[in-house]
Amino acid sequence: MSDLRELYQDVILEHSKAPRNYRELPLANHKAEGYNPLCGDHFTLYVDLDGDRVRDISFQGSGCAISKASASMLTQMVKGKTKAEAQELFDKFLQLVKGEGNGNQAELGKLAVFSGVCEFPVRVKCATLVWHTLRAALEGKQQAVSTE
Amino acid sequence: MTTVANRLPREFRPSRVHTGFDVEKVRRDFPILAQRVRGKKLVYLDNAATSQKPQVVIDAISRYYEEGNANIHRGVHYLSEHATEEHEAARKTVQNFVNAAQAHEIIFVRGATEGINLVAQTYGRAHVNAGDEVLITAMEHHSNIVPWQILGEEKGARLRVAPINDRGELLLDEFEKLLNPRTRMVGVTHVSNALGTVNPISRIVQLAHGHNIPVLVDGAQAVPHTQVDVQALDVDFYVFSGHKVYAPTGIGVLYGKTALLEAMPPYQGGGDMISSVTFEKTSYNKLPYKFEAGTPHVAGAIGLGTAIEYLNGLGIANMAAFEHEVLEYATEAISAVPGIRLIGTAAQKAGVLSFVLEGIHPHDVGTILDQEGIAIRTGHHCAQPLMQRFGIPATARASFALYNTKEEADALVAGIQKVREVFA
Ligand SMILES: Cc1ncc(COP(=O)(O)O)c(C=O)c1O
């Protein structure tokens, strides 16, 4: 049960039940879709980019607790950041969920609650789906992002 | 009024009681079941994906490689002759298992998928033309959808889909209405891998034959749970995979009626499928070899033959009655869990218990059960259109085999309670 509690930390469960910034963003000038065809997760990410900076960001869609909480917390963390800062956060987040980091979770802030994911390799895709989607949105990619 | 199949097809009608089916003894025949995973007793409920193998099958494969390995149909030497005999004996065993009229009607393929592709690419390409239709059902596995789409794209033909009701039962009236002079082929699953629904194959075949349309039945999920009689069902083609019926992966069966197989062009070209080759012209070998190009999976065929003999030894009717009892028990137990919604509540079911838990994604259910040593499948089960039909992205699916017990059903229900605790 301990690994499970590491994975499903209260913060994650809470975000999955009451996701933040869960709405459409009428003013979004960037948008991307992300799919995980294996489990049917499907999210749309809306980004309102002011020059190089994320002025507002939101999402909608359905998925497992991990992917939904990740989306919810992403929107909180990325708001106000520049593209480069968002990318840097993504890189660190990837290291964390793959268990490859240097153990320094300070820069990740509350995203550190995803540290339990590295014990569940098949769930890494759930945690990172929306981050890949963010990158696609920022790059203005038209095609939907897929984990496969 | 729409009629649904509410009578249990004869082949699935369980005998009232199973006599002397000793599940604990059966479990000892499957070495993998004694394993502990993640510190817990393994509860393997992913049998619709693939079944575990009894020791006799594992031994038959080892023995083949240790004592009998040779290429077949080609050698004059002792080992080759012997391997050929064993391979053809396995074909006879399969013939008797599905009650085919002739051994040459049993074509060895890689699995159900390859069997369907073979029919689509040979019979289909020869008979389906622009404007024609292939009729399937809303509960097909992707393997009985995509091959027909590929054919349809090539030929300009259309895929038609017979609908199902909310219980996951085929609407026979709607199916019948979709049969028309442009229909060239009917493809239907015997048992749905995502819902467990047992389709009324005899009735479907009657309706299709009334319009002179041949029927291909995907038996991947039926063969592990029942005695199939292809002649009684009067199906034109029947496919199944060995690995779902206690045999190895990489071996499967396409049954076809002789007249249809004779008239079909070959599928792949190569060795063994020819009778003579010159650079100008090749004449093809007789059935079944015409459809078995290249060196086949000899060990797989022997493993499949052994698995069937193992089932015959247990008594298939006996096994089916026991499985039916466990599935009923599990269905009842799981239905009592608050927030459970069963996906697939057909009157006639086999092997499968698909469900969703309110507010909890199936993927999370699967991860938490896995920590309890319980193996289930979560996702769309290669039936995305079916998931859309039920308005869900995925289900959690527990699927049962002859070695699953009521205690394991209890473990599943306890595991689901734990999922609810984590998410409480
Ligand atoms: C109903 C059904 N048809 C076809 C298949 C395909 O079988 P295979 O992958 O062994 O070819 C499966 C297995 O997943 C199935 O459940």
Side-chain angles (χ1 to χ4, degrees):
Chain A
M1 205 60 178
S2 64
D3 276 355
L4 268 187
R5 275 291 164 215
E6 278 295 303
L7 180 65
Y8 293 108
Q9 297 198 26
D10 288 342
V11 179
I12 289 180
L13 291 176
E14 198 269 320
H15 271 266
S16 78
K17 284 175 195 158
R20 316 300 195 276
N21 302 309
Y22 190 82
R23 59 189 148 83
E24 209 183 317
L25 203 61
L27 291 178
N29 46 25
H30 288 71
K31 181 178 142 181
E33 283 184 64
Y35 285 103
N36 183 339
L38 283 183
C39 42
D41 291 358
H42 181 200
F43 293 103
T44 308
L45 198 61
Y46 305 91
V47 186
D48 177 18
L49 210 55
D50 175 19
D52 205 36
R53 201 169 283 279
V54 176
R55 180 162 45 204
D56 203 358
I57 179 166
S58 71
F59 82 104
Q60 281 183 318
S62 69
C64 63
I66 305 299
S67 63
K68 204 162 195 176
S70 179
S72 171
M73 292 171 76
L74 173 146
T75 60
Q76 288 189 314
M77 294 295 288
V78 163
K79 191 168 169 174
K81 290 210 165 41
T82 64
K83 280 190 192 179
E85 286 166 348
Q87 179 62 44
E88 201 179 322
L89 202 54
F90 180 21
D91 293 341
K92 295 218 174 78
F93 183 73
L94 254 184
Q95 286 179 352
L96 174 78
V97 296
K98 288 183 168 176
E100 294 167 352
N102 54 7
N104 181 4
Q105 299 175 1
E107 309 129 308
L108 281 164
K110 59 177 153 192
L111 292 179
V113 295
F114 286 96
S115 62
V117 173
C118 69
E119 296 297 326
F120 296 81
V122 296
R123 307 303 300 271
V124 171
K125 284 175 182 172
C126 307
T128 56
L129 172 61
V130 74
W131 285 91
H132 288 289
T133 311
L134 172 68
R135 185 151 69 187
L138 295 179
E139 287 171 0
K141 287 231 178 82
Q142 289 305 313
Q143 235 193 345
V145 174
S146 167
T147 55
E148 296 312 302
Chain B
M1 256 306 281
T2 331
T3 56
V4 293
N6 50 14
R7 284 193 59 232
L8 191 54
R10 188 188 317 116
E11 70 276 15
F12 275 89
R13 230 168 278 158
S15 45
R16 284 273 169 275
V17 282
H18 51 89
T19 46
F21 189 87
D22 183 351
V23 70
E24 287 309 326
K25 181 167 175 297
V26 166
R27 289 181 68 80
R28 288 195 291 277
D29 294 336
F30 291 78
I32 208 170
L33 297 179
Q35 212 174 150
R36 294 179 78 80
V37 297
R38 306 200 191 284
K40 304 275 168 60
K41 215 174 144 211
L42 170 66
V43 175
Y44 187 76
L45 293 174
D46 194 19
N47 295 286
T50 198
S51 62
Q52 299 302 349
K53 321 304 172 200
Q55 190 66 52
V56 285
V57 168
I58 299 167
D59 288 347
I61 296 164
S62 303
R63 200 178 326 110
Y64 169 72
Y65 285 122
E66 283 167 12
E67 299 169 8
N69 179 60
N71 209 324
I72 59 169
H73 304 310
R74 316 187 172 178
V76 291
H77 58 79
Y78 172 82
L79 282 180
S80 174
E81 216 171 86
H82 192 66
T84 306
E85 269 168 28
E86 283 205 65
H87 187 257
E88 295 312 305
R91 198 188 306 277
K92 281 294 272 186
T93 304
V94 175
Q95 178 201 347
N96 294 331
F97 180 54
V98 297
N99 194 32
Q102 319 246 22
H104 69 232
E105 293 177 321
I106 302 300
I107 315 287
F108 283 127
V109 290
R110 270 196 305 132
T113 303
E114 189 175 51
I116 299 169
N117 277 279
L118 190 160
V119 174
Q121 287 300 312
T122 58
Y123 182 89
R125 282 177 90 182
H127 292 90
V128 177
N129 292 303
D132 287 344
E133 297 178 0
V134 172
L135 177 58
I136 61 169
T137 80
M139 67 179 99
E140 298 310 312
H141 187 279
H142 292 165
S143 62
N144 203 18
I145 302 173
V146 184
W148 306 115
Q149 283 174 330
I150 291 172
L151 176 69
E153 245 163 65
E154 182 190 326
K155 296 287 191 162
R158 196 166 157 213
L159 190 63
R160 306 295 303 269
V161 182
I164 56 176
N165 65 20
D166 290 343
R167 290 193 298 273
E169 294 162 321
L170 181 64
L171 298 173
L172 265 181
D173 288 0
E174 301 296 322
F175 172 85
E176 190 175 5
K177 277 187 220 153
L178 284 164
L179 294 168
N180 69 67
R182 307 283 349 210
T183 316
R184 290 287 170 270
M185 184 84 202
V186 166
V188 57
T189 193
H190 198 165
V191 172
S192 156
N193 67 306
L195 304 171
T197 309
V198 179
N199 276 316
I201 297 300
S202 293
R203 185 75 192 120
I204 288 168
V205 169
Q206 260 174 16
L207 292 171
H209 284 182
H211 296 254
N212 287 318
I213 303 162
V215 179
L216 175 143
V217 174
D218 173 358
Q221 298 295 346
V223 165
H225 302 295
T226 189
Q227 186 86 59
V228 170
D229 182 333
V230 291
Q231 292 188 79
L233 293 171
D234 199 22
V235 294
D236 301 284
F237 299 104
Y238 196 97
V239 302
F240 68 92
S241 298
H243 70 94
K244 295 185 198 277
V245 61
Y246 314 109
T249 53
I251 188 77
V253 170
L254 162 66
Y255 158 83
K257 284 181 179 165
T258 298
L260 289 167
L261 293 175
E262 294 273 12
M264 278 152 56
Y267 179 44
Q268 296 178 327
D272 293 331
M273 55 79 70
I274 51 86
S275 60
S276 79
V277 175
T278 66
F279 285 116
E280 286 69 42
K281 177 150 180 59
T282 291
S283 53
Y284 303 127
N285 204 339
K286 61 185 202 289
L287 293 176
Y289 312 112
K290 181 170 94 175
F291 293 106
E292 294 180 352
T295 302
H297 187 7
V298 183
I302 291 169
L304 176 57
T306 307
I308 291 171
E309 280 160 13
Y310 174 76
L311 290 183
N312 289 339
L314 292 177
I316 292 174
N318 221 15
M319 167 200 89
F322 173 76
E323 285 191 5
H324 187 74
E325 194 178 299
V326 173
L327 185 64
E328 297 263 284
Y329 177 86
T331 305
E332 197 166 313
I334 207 172
S335 301
V337 177
I340 277 271
R341 175 182 164 207
L342 291 183
I343 306 295
T345 49
Q348 316 308 339
K349 286 183 61 172
V352 169
L353 203 48
S354 239
F355 61 93
V356 291
L357 259 180
E358 197 185 336
I360 307 175
H361 194 278
H363 211 167
D364 296 314
V365 176
T367 291
I368 297 169
L369 290 180
D370 179 50
Q371 291 298 303
E372 298 297 309
I374 303 168
I376 62 156
R377 170 106 185 255
T378 67
H380 52 61
H381 317 298
C382 297
Q384 283 178 323
L386 184 64
M387 297 295 113
Q388 285 152 20
R389 163 67 179 74
F390 283 95
I392 48 178
T395 77
R397 177 189 72 185
S399 54
F400 294 78
L402 56 82
Y403 41 64
N404 290 123
T405 62
K406 291 182 183 173
E407 290 71 34
E408 289 181 306
D410 289 337
L412 172 67
V413 171
I416 296 170
Q417 295 290 10
K418 192 153 252 168
V419 174
R420 295 183 66 247
E421 282 166 30
V422 171
F423 275 79

